[in-house]
Every structure is written in C-alpha cells, then in structure tokens.
Amino acid sequence: MSQEEEIPFTSVGEEGMLKLNEVAQVAIEDTQILLVNAEGQYYAIQDLCTHDDAPLGQGRVVGCEIECARHGAKFDVTDGSATALPAFRPIATFPVRIKDGVIEVQYKKPEPPKFEDPRIGFQPFPSA
Amino acid sequence: MVTESRLSGTPMEKAPEPELGTELIPAERYTSEEYRQLEWDRMWTKVWNWAGRLQDIPNPGDYFTFELGSESILIVRETEDKIRAFYNVCPHRGNQIRNAGIGHAETFQCAYHFFEFDLQGHLVCVPDEYTFTQGVPTETGLVELPCDTWGGTVWINMNEDCESLEEFLGVIPEHLDPYHFEDMYMVQDRTIEWDTNWKASVDAFNEVYHVQGIHPQILESLDDINVQIDLYERHNRYLVPFGLVSPRYPNQDEITSSLKGMMLTAGIDPETFDGNMADVRPAMQKATREKAEAAGMDFSDLNDDQMTDDYHYYIFPNLTFNTHAGGFMMFRQRPHPTDPNKMFYDLQNFALIPAVVPHNGADADAGQRSSVEPPPRPKHETYKHGEVSLGLGLDQDSYNLPRVQRGMGSKAYKGLLINYRERRIRHMHKTLDDYIEGPDR
C-alpha cells in the first residue's frame, strides 16, 4: 500500500450539496477548506489566498477558476495554480471523491512555507 | 575623482525635515509628452548619471556604452589613470561609432566611412581626405563630455558647465563608502522595458506604505512602520529594519518562516534556536558579523543594524540602492526616448568579494590581497515587461506598475495624494522642480 493511499478521506457533505459554481467552507482539523463545484466536478482547495494569506472568501467561480473576493487574484481549482495576479504562489489542493453519495476529501496538512531570506539584494556570503 | 570619505561609519542622525508642502503632485508629470521633453531638456541632460562600472573597463582601450534617452555615450579608459566619455556619434555623417555594450578598441574607427579617432577623441584618419574640398575642420573629433568616478563607478554629465560630481553627490559618499562598493562585483545585470513612467518606478521603491498591499509576505520579516526617513539636499534614504515582524503582523511572537530564512542565511539553525522573538534580530546581527569575519570579510565600518537592515538610498534622479553588508542591489530607472508610459528598469546585483585587504587594518597592504577570484562578469540580459521573473517581491511591483500608469492616465485621476510616510516621493518632485523650474544647475 502506497503512502498516498494511507491518507484517510474525510466526509464533508452529501453529493448534490453544491450547485454548479457554488462553494462551501469546510474545516478539516485546523485547516479551512473550500469545496468547489466547478464544471460539474467537486474540488477541494485551501481557503487561503496566497496573495496575502487571508481567506478567499466567497470567491466567484467561473469555469475552473475561483477569484478571490478581496483583491481579484485567481486560482485554478483543479491544480491550485495562481492564474491571475496579485497572487503568484499556488494554493494547496486536496483530492476529492464521491463514495456512496458522500463527498470525501483526502486531507493532508499543507507543507509549511520554505524558509527564504526575503531581503532584496542581500548576498549570502560563504561560510568559513 | 570624488575623495573617499573618512571611514567613520554611516551617519545615523535624523536629518532635519524640509518644508515640502502638501499639494497634489500633478498626474501629467507621469503621462504627458510635454513634461517628458521638459525633463529631458532641463534635467536628464543637466544631471550626473551613473553610467557604469570601472570593473568593465580594466585596461586602456576598454570601453562600454551608456544609453540614456535619445543619447548613447561611449566611456573609454584611455590610460590606466584616465577615463573619458564621448557622445557615441561620428561627426562625419552621424553614425554611431560603436554598438551598445562592452568592448575594446585601439582606436575608434567608424564603420560607415572609416573616419578614425584615437582614445582622446582626436580625428586621426579621414579616407580620401582630398575629396573634402572645403577641408575637414581641425577640431573635428568625438565630442567629449564631463565624466568622473566614485565608488568604483563612472558618472557622466551632458552639461559641460556642470557642478562637480562630489558637489552633486553631497552626503552620499560619506554614507555609503563604509560598504566599500569598490570591492563589490556585479553578479546580475538585467534590463527590463517596463510599461510605466520612470518616476512611477522610483516612487514604488521609495515608500514602504505599499508593503501590506503588494508585498504582504514581507510583513513577516520587516518593520514597515518605524522607518527612519532622511531627506538631504537632492538625495534621500530610509532605513528599513529587517529581522523582526511588522507591527501589522497578527502574531507578534511568531518567529516566521521568513525570519527563519534570514537566520539560516546568518548561519543560525532556526530549529535549535532557543531564544524568543526579541532575541532574533540581535542574534542574527551577531552571527552575520561573525560569519563575515570568518569568511575574511571586513565589516568593521558597519554598525550592527547594517548586518540585517536595508539601508535604502535614493540618488536623484534614478538610482535606488538596496544596501546590505556584503552586497547591494541597484535599480536604475532610465527614461524611454519618446514614450512617457515606458521606461528601462536596470537591475544590477553586486556582491562583496571576501578577504580583500582589511580597510582599517594596520598592516593592510597590497601583499595581503587574497587570491579570491571575482565572479565572471554576467551577461547583460534584456526583456520586455513580464517576460522574466525577477523574484517574488519585484514581480509584485512589476505586476502593479502598469496598472498605476494606466490609472494615472485616466481623466478621473488628478494627481498624487502623498502622505507623510511617502514623503520621499514629494522630495524627489521638489528636486525635479529645482531642475525644471529653478536656477540652472
């Protein structure tokens, strides 16, 4: 059994709970997740706009994209990629399946951001 | 040549605040063809301009060009001790003598008709000279313009009656010589044609008020509120503290991932660091200095805050230095020759080469220079707006600036409403006014 398959699925609602282009906020552990019905499929993304690390809010869905209600950043809900500025970084996505009429999300805690020195122009110099 | 200042450290005193008024700054300055032409006639052709680095012309005959607006300037090392600047134009038929870039020449021979000039600009050969029945005037030669050096850099001025570079720079050498720019080598050289006015780009780097909107991720690592701003005669600076979280950041006790990134750079393992938030910045400063000394770098002229912070200098009209111990990033904004809605954004990164002579060391002599080779000179890369990623922070500015430019061109927009924390912008416009409306410098 692969490591991926060991990650459990969590029930988040009944199939049919969302109409096309609707979203719902659900929480798994301490992570806020948006369940999205885009193009007739369910997707789960982290409810955290990577522009300013605040919730996407009731973002509007068009096609497979969701637009942050606060500053207009857009993300592709199918893979989490940022498709419109001011966001640059992707958002976390989670696999979704329908089992016996129930929507299930395979939740894995998103990776914490990498440690990066934010200073523009700072030149790391060699260690001794 | 500008005298190297006494190396007593970068002055920290708060400069007195000039009275700059509070009125709107007219939007037309950023969008109109008339104002673009005024700037060219009265400012760009009268002011000292950073043209390039001495490291690009180490040997007699080496040259580089500097492109500014409609002009191209040829900067050549004539002898070991003499740098000259000429307009890059043949007096015969106006052809440009050399392509833009870096090169070497024994003489400058125009490729069009083979007029030839020596490194002093004197005409030395005219093919078929007898066919000029009127004669070739003896003064015909490359037209020279004022040129001087500071901090390993060549500056030019198109005003032949200009003040000295030293007078123009004012306090700047005293402030920046402790970083030893002359020992820093270029590690990145890019030019991006940005779809915005050159001043909109200058403005974006001269205030941190926009950090929460455009760069929210760096609230994790700097204080965007308690920033010392100093306005000098023409130039200005702000001192941006890094190594702490912004007062706007929600969790004031969190050692954020960005701070951990800075700790790693300083040589501290964030996973085993047992201090609290207040300990982070001093620990980084101490570790950075120790790491530098171990690597043979001399930071004895720099204070502890300079180990972490961005001492951010603006030299009128178009230079921004993000200055750090061990390196700096220069932004240079060059105007577009015809379009006020475009500009050239030069992005040059410089790194200090470790283990050169300790400047204040008692036994500093040439014999102690290390064998550390400087990095090879990077290729100059050119791009259109948005063609290349410049890193997250600059990509965010790059994304936003064309929107600013479009907005400033709207009939609904009257002018820049400037707050106290944005006063470097007002100061820049005051200096610009002095060139455009004031006594001819």
Side-chain angles (χ1 to χ4, degrees), chain A residues 56-80:
Chain A
L56 284 160
Q58 294 300 312
R60 187 170 172 184
V61 178
V62 176
C64 62
E65 287 182 332
I66 184 166
E67 183 182 56
C68 178
R70 289 175 304 105
H71 302 108
K74 290 182 186 176
F75 301 91
D76 184 328
V77 299
T78 68
D79 61 8

Side-chain angles (χ1 to χ4, degrees), chain B residues 56 102 185-190 347-350 375-381:
Chain B
D56 281 339
I102 295 172
Y185 284 81
M186 191 188 285
V187 293
Q188 187 180 65
D189 183 16
R190 286 174 162 175
L347 190 58
Q348 298 181 351
N349 224 340
F350 297 89
R377 204 254 187 239
K379 183 176 182 296
H380 180 221
E381 302 169 358

Side-chain angles (χ1 to χ4, degrees), chain B residues 116-157:
Chain B
E116 189 175 355
F117 309 87
D118 65 17
L119 299 184
Q120 296 181 341
H122 298 140
L123 182 62
V124 294
C125 180
V126 178
D128 306 336
E129 189 169 355
Y130 66 92
T131 60
F132 290 84
T133 53
Q134 76 279 40
V136 177
T138 53
E139 69 274 18
T140 303
L142 299 181
V143 177
E144 193 164 2
L145 64 158
C147 141
D148 203 348
T149 60
W150 165 67
T153 303
V154 185
W155 299 65
I156 61 96
N157 195 319

Side-chain angles (χ1 to χ4, degrees), chain B residues 77 101 204 207 236 250 260-261 277 437:
Chain B
R77 183 182 288 278
E207 47 89 1
N236 59 53
K260 290 175 180 172
M277 190 64 186
E437 297 166 9

Side-chain angles (χ1 to χ4, degrees), chain A residues 25-42:
Chain A
Q25 288 174 305
V26 296
I28 303 179
E29 297 182 10
D30 57 355
T31 302
Q32 293 297 320
I33 288 172
L34 276 187
L35 193 64
V36 182
N37 181 344
E39 300 180 327
Q41 296 282 321
Y42 283 105

Side-chain angles (χ1 to χ4, degrees), chain B residues 34-102:
Chain B
E34 293 72 22
Y35 199 80
R36 186 202 65 73
Q37 190 64 47
L38 269 181
E39 285 180 343
W40 179 254
D41 294 340
R42 300 187 187 180
M43 188 275 287
W44 288 110
T45 52
K46 307 291 182 192
V47 74
W48 281 98
N49 277 278
W50 161 304
R53 294 283 283 175
L54 282 167
Q55 288 157 352
D56 281 339
I57 46 172
N59 302 307
D62 290 349
Y63 72 86
F64 63 81
T65 69
F66 169 53
E67 315 296 319
L68 184 69
S70 54
E71 292 290 357
S72 174
I73 309 296
L74 198 53
I75 291 103
V76 60
R77 183 182 288 278
E78 180 204 347
T79 65
E80 191 175 330
D81 302 320
K82 182 67 180 173
I83 311 291
R84 292 184 186 272
F86 304 103
Y87 290 90
N88 183 16
V89 55
C90 179
H92 173 219
R93 293 274 298 281
N95 189 34
Q96 288 194 316
I97 297 284
R98 289 281 164 147
N99 295 325
I102 295 172

Side-chain angles (χ1 to χ4, degrees), chain B residues 328-402:
Chain B
F328 74 104
M329 182 175 268
M330 185 195 78
F331 307 148
R332 180 175 61 182
Q333 286 87 2
R334 286 180 293 132
H336 190 277
T338 56
D339 188 349
N341 298 299
K342 288 183 183 291
M343 59 159 285
F344 298 101
Y345 175 59
D346 297 324
L347 190 58
Q348 298 181 351
N349 224 340
F350 297 89
L352 189 67
I353 300 306
V356 293
V357 172
H359 287 266
N360 289 343
D363 55 356
D365 61 53
Q368 292 200 331
R369 283 203 175 265
S370 88
S371 58
V372 174
E373 285 293 319
R377 204 254 187 239
K379 183 176 182 296
H380 180 221
E381 302 169 358
T382 58
Y383 302 96
K384 297 286 187 185
H385 199 130
E387 271 186 351
V388 62
S389 173
L390 307 173
L392 179 59
L394 294 178
D395 285 348
Q396 290 165 327
D397 291 309
S398 170
Y399 145 74
N400 201 56
L401 282 169

Side-chain angles (χ1 to χ4, degrees), chain B residues 51-285:
Chain B
R53 294 283 283 175
L54 282 167
Q55 288 157 352
D56 281 339
I57 46 172
N59 302 307
D62 290 349
Y63 72 86
F64 63 81
T65 69
F66 169 53
E67 315 296 319
L68 184 69
S70 54
E71 292 290 357
S72 174
I73 309 296
L74 198 53
I75 291 103
V76 60
R77 183 182 288 278
E78 180 204 347
T79 65
E80 191 175 330
D81 302 320
K82 182 67 180 173
I83 311 291
R84 292 184 186 272
F86 304 103
Y87 290 90
N88 183 16
V89 55
C90 179
H92 173 219
R93 293 274 298 281
N95 189 34
Q96 288 194 316
I97 297 284
R98 289 281 164 147
N99 295 325
I102 295 172
H104 177 85
E106 299 298 320
T107 61
F108 290 112
Q109 186 180 51
C110 177
Y112 201 179
H113 304 94
F114 285 178
F115 271 50
E116 189 175 355
F117 309 87
D118 65 17
L119 299 184
Q120 296 181 341
H122 298 140
L123 182 62
V124 294
C125 180
V126 178
D128 306 336
E129 189 169 355
Y130 66 92
T131 60
F132 290 84
T133 53
Q134 76 279 40
V136 177
T138 53
E139 69 274 18
T140 303
L142 299 181
V143 177
E144 193 164 2
L145 64 158
C147 141
D148 203 348
T149 60
W150 165 67
T153 303
V154 185
W155 299 65
I156 61 96
N157 195 319
M158 287 184 251
N159 177 9
E160 59 188 34
D161 300 319
C162 61
E163 66 194 320
S164 70
L165 176 62
E166 189 155 17
E167 192 181 336
F168 169 76
L169 289 173
V171 301
I172 294 298
E174 181 189 4
H175 284 237
L176 294 182
D177 282 346
Y179 286 96
H180 299 293
F181 283 6
E182 71 281 3
D183 291 336
M184 294 184 181
Y185 284 81
M186 191 188 285
V187 293
Q188 187 180 65
D189 183 16
R190 286 174 162 175
T191 296
I192 302 97
E193 185 180 323
W194 265 4
D195 298 332
T196 194
N197 185 268
W198 68 272
K199 296 185 294 302
S201 172
V202 167
D203 296 349
F205 300 118
N206 275 354
E207 47 89 1
V208 284
Y209 187 43
H210 74 286
V211 164
Q212 61 175 334
I214 298 298
H215 313 291
Q217 76 281 358
I218 56 175
L219 297 175
E220 287 188 8
S221 57
L222 60 71
D223 185 339
D224 57 330
I225 305 288
N226 302 296
V227 174
Q228 178 176 326
I229 296 179
D230 295 302
L231 310 177
Y232 303 106
E233 186 193 355
R234 273 170 277 201
H235 318 302
N236 59 53
R237 71 172 181 182
Y238 57 26
L239 311 180
V240 184
F242 271 82
L244 67 183
V245 295
S246 164
R248 302 182 198 272
Y249 193 72
N251 184 353
Q252 291 290 301
D253 297 321
E254 179 189 347
I255 300 176
T256 60
S257 63
S258 294
L259 289 176
K260 290 175 180 172
M262 287 184 67
M263 292 165 81
L264 282 173
T265 309
I268 300 171
D269 181 356
E271 301 304 339
T272 57
F273 182 72
D274 62 357
N276 59 31
M277 190 64 186
D279 302 321
V280 169
R281 182 174 148 87
M284 270 193 251
Q285 293 174 342

